[in-house]
Amino acid sequence: MLTLLVVDAANVVGSVPDGWWRDRRGAAERLRDRLAAGAAGEVAGLPGPLDVVLVVEGRARGVEPVPGVRVEEAPGSGDDRIVELAAGAAAAGRPCVVVTADRELRRRVAEHGAECLGPRSVRP
């Protein structure tokens, strides 16, 4: 069973002050492309292949999926969608790793057995 790797796009993109706020969708697309480059091999130090999900919200909506990366548009809170994904993985007995630095989100997904990694695990 593939490990589910859920990436909090807003948190990861916002972790580096590189002008992402001028083009949130473009920043999320660049993150998606970095994730896709490693999806079949290794991402965030995890052996592949992985089931990679990038969760976007707000002005980052509209990012298209690419081979190796599924994109989930959160209808409301991105954090709530990430927790739903972690809970679904737990219900299926599937390993789940969430990439975020958000302490409250880390606490919420840990309640469902998800492991957490920081933004630097997927972003230089």
Side-chain angles (χ1 to χ4, degrees):
M1 185 173 291
L2 295 179
T3 296
L4 177 64
L5 179 68
V6 182
V7 180
D8 179 353
N11 189 269
V12 172
V13 165
S15 69
V16 176
D18 61 0
W20 59 264
W21 52 88
R22 290 189 294 268
D23 181 12
R24 292 171 196 249
R25 185 182 314 162
E29 288 170 341
R30 289 186 294 279
L31 174 57
R32 175 207 57 201
D33 294 346
R34 277 195 301 277
L35 293 168
E42 181 178 297
V43 177
L46 302 169
L50 301 165
D51 182 10
V52 180
V53 179
L54 180 66
V55 177
V56 297
E57 62 186 321
R59 294 192 312 209
R61 286 188 181 99
V63 174
E64 295 293 324
V66 296
V69 180
R70 183 175 50 159
V71 178
E72 291 268 341
E73 290 188 356
S77 162
D79 290 2
D80 289 346
R81 182 65 188 129
I82 292 167
V83 172
E84 289 171 2
L85 290 166
R94 183 176 189 195
C96 179
V97 178
V98 175
V99 179
T100 187
D102 183 310
R103 288 183 186 168
E104 176 61 15
L105 178 56
R106 284 174 169 248
R107 184 195 63 74
R108 290 175 66 194
V109 298
E111 290 176 358
H112 298 285
E115 294 182 40
C116 293
L117 297 172
R120 289 186 184 176
S121 65
V122 295
R123 183 167 184 156

